């Protein structure tokens, strides 16, 4: 069994605006989380529109426990981003992979700080000014699933009708040991930058949409 890690917690508010959230009744206080799929939905149902993580997402520290803690927090950020909730968080990247990793994660709500990058200010500026909803999303249709990726500037589509893919994505969604995913599927998804590998874990990057925010041709 992997070592246990503390579950994340957030400070949450009913409004994203810095001034509005200081008004009476806007604070939801400290909300302990379970590191389970329903955390983001529960925060949304509580009225949270801004959340602050209790600790950084640390992808620079080696080891399975650190990877598990980082993936748990990334799951929350991804699922809150999908609901347009503003997330205040900090990111630590391994210097040898930082230039690539921040772009891989750039569909998430931009962090406050990034550590490990030689030119973090430039990367953060690009992340903040180029971020928008539905930058990396997936949807499931009858007999297929499709991913739409705009992290690299152009629109890239990945469509799969292999019935093994939905099952693989369901396992990857919360982060799973790489050996638990069929090697050919994991290799293909990794080549398309759709999974993040942290230590021995593989994690599903896109967030799910149930309906388009714009006309289908514009997404």
């Amino acid at each position: 069994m992997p070592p246990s890690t503390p579950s994340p917690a957030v400070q949450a508010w009913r409004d994203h605006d810095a001034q509005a959230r200081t008004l009476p009744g806007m604070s939801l206080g400290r909300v302990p989380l379970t590191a389970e799929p329903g955390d983001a939905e529960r925060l949304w149902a509580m009225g949270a529109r801004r959340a602050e993580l209790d600790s950084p997402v640390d992808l620079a520290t080696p080891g399975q426990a650190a990877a598990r803690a980082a993936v748990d927090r990334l799951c929350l950020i991804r699922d809150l981003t999908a609901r347009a909730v503003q997330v205040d968080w900090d990111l630590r990247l391994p210097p040898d992979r930082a230039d690539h990793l921040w772009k891989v994660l750039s569909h998430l709500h931009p962090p406050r700080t990034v550590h490990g990058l030689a030119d973090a200010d430039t990367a953060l500026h690009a992340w903040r000014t180029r971020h928008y909803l539905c930058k990396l999303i997936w949807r499931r249709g009858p007999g297929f699933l499709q991913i739409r990726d705009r992290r690299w500037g152009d629109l890239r589509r990945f469509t799969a009708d292999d019935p093994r893919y939905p099952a693989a994505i369901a396992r990857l969604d919360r982060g799973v040991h790489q050996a638990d995913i069929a090697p050919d599927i994991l290799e293909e998804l990794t080549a398309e930058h759709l999974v993040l590998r942290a230590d021995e874990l593989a994690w599903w990057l896109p967030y799910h949409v149930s309906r388009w925010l714009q006309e289908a041709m514009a997404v």
Side-chain angles (χ1 to χ4, degrees):
M1 294 289 293
S4 61
T5 59
S7 295
V10 298
Q11 293 286 338
W13 297 267
R14 298 181 188 276
D15 199 285
H16 62 84
D17 183 79
Q19 292 184 335
R21 67 175 179 162
T22 64
L23 297 173
M26 288 294 105
S27 175
L28 295 169
R30 183 181 186 275
V31 183
L33 303 175
T34 63
E36 295 295 330
D39 278 337
E41 183 177 353
R42 179 164 60 90
L43 280 166
W44 177 265
M46 291 172 62
R49 298 300 179 264
R50 183 168 185 167
E52 180 180 23
L53 264 67
D54 63 331
S55 59
V57 172
D58 185 359
L59 293 170
T61 299
Q64 190 173 355
R68 181 72 265 170
V71 167
D72 285 346
R73 286 160 175 77
L74 285 171
C75 285
L76 181 65
I77 296 165
R78 179 197 61 196
D79 296 346
L80 290 175
T81 298
R83 291 165 171 80
V85 174
Q86 182 171 331
V87 188
D88 297 328
W89 62 294
D90 303 284
L91 177 61
R92 294 176 181 167
L93 297 173
D96 59 329
R97 300 172 59 203
D99 286 338
H100 174 68
L101 280 178
W102 82 261
K103 296 172 185 174
V104 168
L105 296 169
S106 63
H107 63 298
L108 303 177
H109 189 91
R112 293 177 298 196
T113 60
V114 178
H115 300 276
L117 271 170
D119 193 354
D121 289 342
T122 299
L124 271 174
H125 177 75
W127 197 333
R128 290 166 180 163
T129 56
R130 299 173 190 170
H131 179 263
Y132 51 86
L133 292 177
C134 293
K135 199 167 189 177
L136 175 62
I137 57 175
W138 76 281
R139 67 187 180 101
R140 187 170 179 177
F144 74 96
L145 62 86
Q146 184 180 78
I147 299 98
R148 295 189 177 201
D149 184 1
R150 291 186 180 270
R151 289 171 297 173
W152 318 104
D154 57 340
L155 173 61
R156 304 182 184 184
R157 292 187 184 90
F158 179 90
T159 304
D161 56 9
D162 185 331
R164 297 180 301 156
Y165 275 84
I169 290 171
R171 304 196 73 181
L172 288 163
D173 186 67
R174 312 309 298 177
V176 69
H177 196 287
Q178 297 176 29
D180 292 337
I181 303 298
D184 59 323
I185 292 179
L186 184 59
E187 182 179 352
E188 186 169 12
L189 295 177
T190 300
E192 297 288 343
H193 308 297
L194 299 176
V195 297
L196 173 74
R197 298 197 188 196
D199 196 72
E200 296 181 352
L201 296 178
W203 174 66
W204 182 240
L205 285 154
Y207 49 82
H208 186 259
V209 291
S210 57
R211 60 186 177 89
W212 298 123
L213 297 182
Q214 303 178 40
E215 294 84 355
M217 292 299 292
V219 175

